[in-house]
Amino acid sequence: MTEKQTPPIVLDTNVLVAGACRRAGSLAYRVLMGVLRGQVPLVLTPGIALEYQDVLLRPRVLALTGLSPAESLDLVTDLIGLAQRVNVSFQWRPNLRDEADNKFVDAAVEGAAIIVTYNAADFRDADLPRYGWAAMTPQEFLSRYPVEEAY
């Protein structure tokens, strides 16, 4: 039996924040740790990295994750270092409800990646499936592409 190769992902900020909370058994934490351990390839653009930084440094999010500002910046730096950086050469502008989500679609298209998000329905309502692009929840992603448990 051949093992499925894990495709690259674009990590939605909501999954990053949930993973940064480091809750035992959290699917988001397993996905994040898979990225940090090199098991799950990550695709990033500068715009997404800036959003990660902005969100992780918000006082409410710092309180939620328990990370210091320096630890939050280290996490973003680690993700940047591990990621396949893509330059968006064409903006798709799909019919998404939230215009700010378009940057995740653009990265996924450029990097041939799956968007891992807790808001998969927001992406599925668009034209993405018609063109073969996918958005999955952490649960859907991990059921197709198992990642070692994070301890």
Side-chain angles (χ1 to χ4, degrees):
M1 179 166 88
T2 51
E3 193 174 310
K4 289 182 187 177
Q5 183 174 352
T6 305
I9 67 168
V10 175
L11 193 63
D12 196 354
T13 310
N14 59 33
V15 178
L16 173 63
V17 170
C21 290
R22 303 176 312 276
R23 304 260 190 304
S26 160
L27 298 174
Y29 183 62
R30 280 181 50 202
V31 171
L32 178 59
M33 290 307 297
V35 170
L36 292 171
R37 283 192 248 132
Q39 295 175 299
V40 179
L42 179 68
V43 170
L44 263 184
T45 63
I48 293 171
L50 288 171
E51 180 173 313
Y52 287 174
Q53 179 179 315
D54 174 59
V55 171
L56 286 174
L57 291 176
R58 293 176 185 168
R60 189 179 80 225
V61 174
L62 288 169
L64 182 67
T65 64
L67 297 175
S68 70
E71 290 168 326
S72 294
L73 290 174
D74 286 346
L75 175 57
V76 174
T77 300
D78 289 346
L79 292 173
I80 291 169
L82 291 166
Q84 168 194 344
R85 289 172 288 290
V86 294
N87 294 315
V88 175
S89 58
F90 181 81
Q91 294 181 327
W92 287 90
R93 296 298 165 233
N95 57 345
L96 299 179
R97 286 183 233 168
D98 183 353
E99 177 69 23
D101 286 339
N102 285 328
K103 67 179 153 287
F104 296 97
V105 172
D106 294 338
V109 170
E110 288 291 328
I114 294 169
I115 300 168
V116 178
T117 178
Y118 279 114
N119 297 327
D122 290 351
F123 291 95
R124 288 186 186 133
D125 288 345
D127 296 326
L128 302 180
R130 180 170 47 169
Y131 298 106
W133 304 313
M136 297 179 185
T137 65
Q139 180 177 9
E140 291 167 329
F141 180 79
L142 291 170
S143 71
R144 290 190 189 176
Y145 308 100
V147 174
E148 288 179 24
E149 291 283 338
Y151 297 103

